[in-house]
């Protein structure tokens, strides 16, 4: 049977000289005091730097605000969880019994933290250039698919700014229902806007996504889509 760390190395495109770092990066805090939180802290900083540097070179005409929005799009938890699932990191995670029972191996926040922790572990196991090369390889298709059109503000921000310009009350978001098990929930949100007779609805795998969907529906109803 293939060693798990060896299989992980193939998924990451990186072979650890110190397998203990990889093991620590995959150990969730539910396992105890020896966990990946410090590596996550380190990896988060490296990820932000590497992506910022890549965007700076890729978009020489972009303004600071545009670069910030592009970076936020790439380093947010949802994107990191997608990368983790592409590499099937869930099967390598070390979780406490409670997280195992609740499906923590598939929880977006845990997967995203593990990716950041692995970035920190690769940096400590090698050097910044090697770490940079791996991060950019994981992000290659996402960076290639980016345009400055992706710097458009999110629906909640656009809705708030539109209502402020109209001197109208700000929107209110109401959680209506949550369905599914803890590891695969669907959130249902209604957005209340004083200028609209009916509440706008949204749903998604997190409350944040559902709120954005409901805000987008409100913008459409107001005829304020960009």
């Amino acid at each position: 049977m293939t060693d798990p760390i060896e299989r992980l190395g193939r998924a990451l495109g990186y072979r650890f000289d110190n397998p203990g770092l990889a093991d620590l990066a995959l150990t969730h805090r539910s396992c105890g005091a020896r966990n990946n939180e410090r590596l996550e802290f380190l990896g988060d900083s490296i990820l932000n730097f590497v992506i910022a540097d890549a965007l700076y070179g890729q978009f020489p005409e972009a303004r600071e605000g545009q670069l910030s929005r592009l970076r936020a799009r790439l380093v947010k938890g949802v994107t990191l969880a997608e990368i983790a699932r592409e590499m099937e990191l869930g099967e390598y995670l070390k979780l406490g019994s409670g997280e195992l029972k609740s499906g923590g191996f598939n929880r977006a926040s845990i997967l995203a933290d593990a990716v950041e922790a692995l970035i920190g572990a690769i940096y400590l196991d090698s050097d910044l250039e090697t770490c940079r090369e791996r991060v950019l390889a994981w992000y290659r298709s996402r960076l290639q698919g980016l345009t400055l059109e992706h710097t458009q503000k999110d629906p909640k921000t656009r809705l708030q700014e539109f209502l402020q310009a109209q001197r109208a009350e700000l929107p209110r978001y109401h959680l209506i229902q949550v369905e599914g098990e803890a590891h695969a929930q669907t959130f249902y949100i209604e957005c209340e806007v004083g200028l609209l007779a009916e509440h706008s609805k949204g749903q998604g795998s997190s409350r944040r996504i559902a709120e954005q969907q409901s805000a987008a529906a409100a913008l459409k109803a107001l005829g304020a889509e960009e």
Side-chain angles (χ1 to χ4, degrees):
M1 184 177 292
T2 308
D3 180 82
I5 295 297
E6 186 178 329
R7 286 190 288 116
L8 173 66
R10 288 201 293 268
L12 298 175
Y14 179 80
R15 183 178 182 276
F16 279 90
D17 288 329
N18 180 0
L21 281 169
D23 182 76
L24 183 60
L26 296 165
T27 303
H28 186 254
R29 65 176 178 271
S30 59
C31 287
R34 183 185 178 278
N35 59 62
N36 63 6
E37 288 186 328
R38 282 171 53 82
L39 285 174
E40 176 198 339
F41 163 78
L42 181 60
D44 174 71
S45 298
I46 295 168
L47 174 64
N48 274 273
F49 164 70
V50 170
I51 294 301
D53 181 63
L55 292 173
Y56 185 86
Q58 185 170 334
F59 297 101
E61 304 301 322
R63 299 185 300 277
E64 183 272 341
Q66 291 176 305
L67 292 172
S68 293
R69 285 192 287 275
L70 286 174
R71 180 179 61 181
R73 177 189 181 93
L74 291 172
V75 305
K76 65 184 180 181
V78 172
T79 304
L80 288 168
E82 288 174 357
I83 291 172
R85 292 189 178 105
E86 289 167 7
M87 297 189 291
E88 300 182 340
L89 286 188
E91 66 179 270
Y92 303 101
L93 293 175
K94 293 192 172 183
L95 305 170
S97 58
E99 286 293 349
L100 278 172
K101 290 177 183 177
S102 65
F105 61 89
N106 195 41
R107 184 167 296 128
S109 60
I110 292 178
L111 289 168
D113 291 347
V115 173
E116 290 181 334
L118 282 166
I119 292 171
I122 290 172
Y123 167 72
L124 292 177
D125 193 62
S126 57
D127 52 47
L128 182 57
E129 278 310 306
T130 302
C131 187
R132 183 205 302 266
E133 186 274 330
R134 278 298 83 209
V135 170
L136 293 179
W138 301 343
Y139 272 92
R140 184 171 293 118
S141 63
R142 289 172 172 82
L143 285 166
Q144 290 174 344
L146 275 187
T147 70
L148 290 182
E149 292 179 4
H150 290 114
T151 62
Q152 177 176 282
K153 294 177 182 178
D154 64 81
K156 284 184 68 175
T157 301
R158 300 201 323 265
L159 177 60
Q160 179 171 315
E161 291 179 351
F162 175 83
L163 294 173
Q164 286 174 329
Q166 301 294 318
R167 298 184 182 278
E169 290 185 10
L170 295 180
R172 291 191 289 272
Y173 297 91
H174 307 287
L175 177 63
I176 304 303
Q177 187 179 359
V178 182
E179 293 181 347
E181 299 297 326
H183 65 283
Q185 292 181 322
T186 300
F187 293 77
Y188 296 85
I189 294 286
E190 287 187 353
C191 176
E192 180 183 355
V193 175
L195 298 180
L196 295 173
E198 296 183 359
H199 295 180
S200 301
K201 297 177 174 58
Q203 67 182 71
S205 57
S206 71
R207 180 165 183 161
R208 183 189 64 81
I209 293 173
E211 288 180 350
Q212 295 287 7
Q213 292 290 335
S214 66
L219 284 166
K220 183 175 182 180
L222 290 164
E225 290 181 307
E226 292 187 359

